[in-house]
């Protein structure tokens, strides 16, 4: 998953990014002003946008209006100052999906972010089971046949993304877009390396292939569509 934080308090933005990386291995981009944030939101396929309302140049509300007017369906969680009931209502009525009032509990923010992303992929349950592999997206844990398997951040990130889209063929370009933030080098051939690592680590005891390769199309996690 890949998240955009548009927040001019850089320390807060970095703290949120750190938490999202630690608690869910998500890729995170940060923008500290409205115009740049709006541009990033429009040009990258984010899974979630965390949007501060009080921003330089363009307000968060204007960004939200712009995104929704342009049919961007990405989940948006707004951040607002204390006692801002009108802002919250206006934000929700403009098309945000959730909100947090500053100062907020970081764990609660992370839990809400995870719920929003899950819902946007049509999932209500936080645990995704595929054959004998279980991915607990709230606890950030993977088990195979009930035994915990520790995965490096990028492998977990890839598995979670494929699991959210289980049963679909996901292209390599799509995977790269959702796995890497701007700070990282993007090498699409590395995706294959991660796929192979996942096959090895999750394959034990499994009869059927867990990750299917579709030549020149991409990868599919889980059962093939009939
Ligand atoms: Ca602000």
């Amino acid at each position: 998953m890949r998240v955009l934080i548009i927040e001019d308090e850089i320390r807060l933005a970095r703290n949120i990014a750190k938490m999202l990386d630690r608690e869910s291995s998500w890729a995170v981009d940060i923008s500290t002003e409205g115009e740049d944030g709006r541009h990033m939101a429009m040009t990258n396929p984010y899974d979630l946008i965390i949007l501060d309302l009080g921003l330089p140049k363009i307000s968060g509300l204007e960004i939200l209006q712009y995104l929704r007017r342009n049919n961007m369906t990405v989940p948006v969680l707004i951040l607002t100052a204390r006692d801002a009931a009108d802002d919250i209502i206006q934000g929700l009525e403009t098309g945000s999906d959730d909100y947090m009032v500053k100062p907020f509990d970081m764990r609660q923010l992370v839990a809400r972010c995870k719920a929003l992303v899950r819902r946007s992929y049509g999932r209500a349950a936080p645990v995704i089971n595929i054959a004998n592999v279980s991915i607990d997206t709230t606890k950030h844990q993977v088990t195979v046949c009930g035994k915990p398997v520790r995965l490096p951040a990028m492998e977990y990130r890839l598995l979670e993304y494929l699991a959210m889209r289980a049963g679909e063929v996901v292209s390599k370009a799509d995977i790269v877009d959702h796995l890497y933030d701007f700070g990282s080098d993007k090498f699409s051939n590395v995706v294959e390396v991660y796929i192979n690592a996942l096959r090895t680590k999750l394959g034990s005891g499994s009869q059927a292939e867990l990750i299917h390769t579709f030549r020149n199309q991409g990868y599919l996690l889980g059962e093939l569509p009939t």
Side-chain angles (χ1 to χ4, degrees):
M1 299 299 148
R2 184 175 172 196
V3 178
L4 173 63
I5 303 170
I6 309 177
E7 165 61 79
D8 57 329
E9 291 171 54
I10 185 69
R11 265 188 59 191
L12 175 62
R14 286 202 183 121
N15 281 340
I16 297 171
K18 210 191 295 172
M19 273 302 270
L20 292 175
D21 174 44
R22 200 180 77 191
E23 298 296 318
S24 14
S25 295
W26 286 354
V28 184
D29 288 318
I30 295 174
S31 174
T32 53
E33 54 99 337
E35 245 168 39
D36 171 65
R38 184 179 67 182
H39 177 73
M40 285 174 78
M42 287 299 293
T43 50
N44 296 283
Y46 290 108
D47 294 297
L48 171 73
I49 296 175
I50 298 170
L51 178 63
D52 181 33
L53 290 184
L55 290 166
K57 295 197 182 175
I58 306 176
S59 78
L61 213 53
E62 284 171 277
I63 295 174
L64 185 58
Q65 261 159 3
Y66 190 86
L67 292 179
R68 295 312 186 217
R69 247 201 332 260
N70 285 279
N71 300 317
M72 299 289 281
T73 57
V74 55
V76 174
L77 181 147
I78 53 174
L79 303 178
T80 168
R82 197 200 298 261
D83 298 330
D86 289 346
D87 283 354
I88 294 167
I89 294 166
Q90 209 181 352
L92 290 167
E93 288 180 349
T94 304
S96 80
D97 301 276
D98 203 352
Y99 66 90
M100 290 290 284
V101 177
K102 295 179 187 177
F104 51 79
D105 178 66
M106 204 54 99
R107 291 165 316 150
Q108 198 185 125
L109 173 77
V110 170
R112 284 174 185 240
C113 288
K114 288 184 180 186
L116 286 172
V117 169
R118 198 159 73 214
R119 279 285 176 189
S120 75
Y121 281 97
R123 296 186 176 276
V127 180
I128 303 170
N129 295 302
I130 295 153
N132 50 22
V133 176
S134 176
I135 302 134
D136 187 331
T137 60
T138 53
K139 294 206 179 89
H140 191 210
Q141 278 169 2
V142 178
T143 59
V144 179
C145 300
K147 291 195 195 91
V149 176
R150 286 196 65 82
L151 296 176
M154 284 306 277
E155 289 172 26
Y156 179 86
R157 198 181 287 178
L158 172 59
L159 177 65
E160 187 188 59
Y161 183 59
L162 290 178
M164 288 286 184
R165 300 186 57 184
E168 277 178 69
V169 179
V170 184
S171 75
K172 220 191 254 186
D174 208 337
I175 290 172
V176 168
D177 273 344
H178 287 264
L179 250 56
Y180 292 95
D181 50 55
F182 274 116
S184 50
D185 298 320
K186 299 180 187 187
F187 301 112
S188 63
N189 54 340
V190 174
V191 171
E192 258 156 72
V193 177
Y194 293 136
I195 291 277
N196 288 333
L198 284 178
R199 280 193 174 125
T200 309
K201 288 174 191 174
L202 308 178
S204 57
S206 158
Q207 301 297 313
E209 185 86 78
L210 192 71
I211 303 172
H212 304 270
T213 304
F214 289 77
R215 199 166 291 282
N216 300 323
Q217 288 182 64
Y219 302 97
L220 178 148
L221 177 67
E223 278 180 43
L224 291 171
T226 46

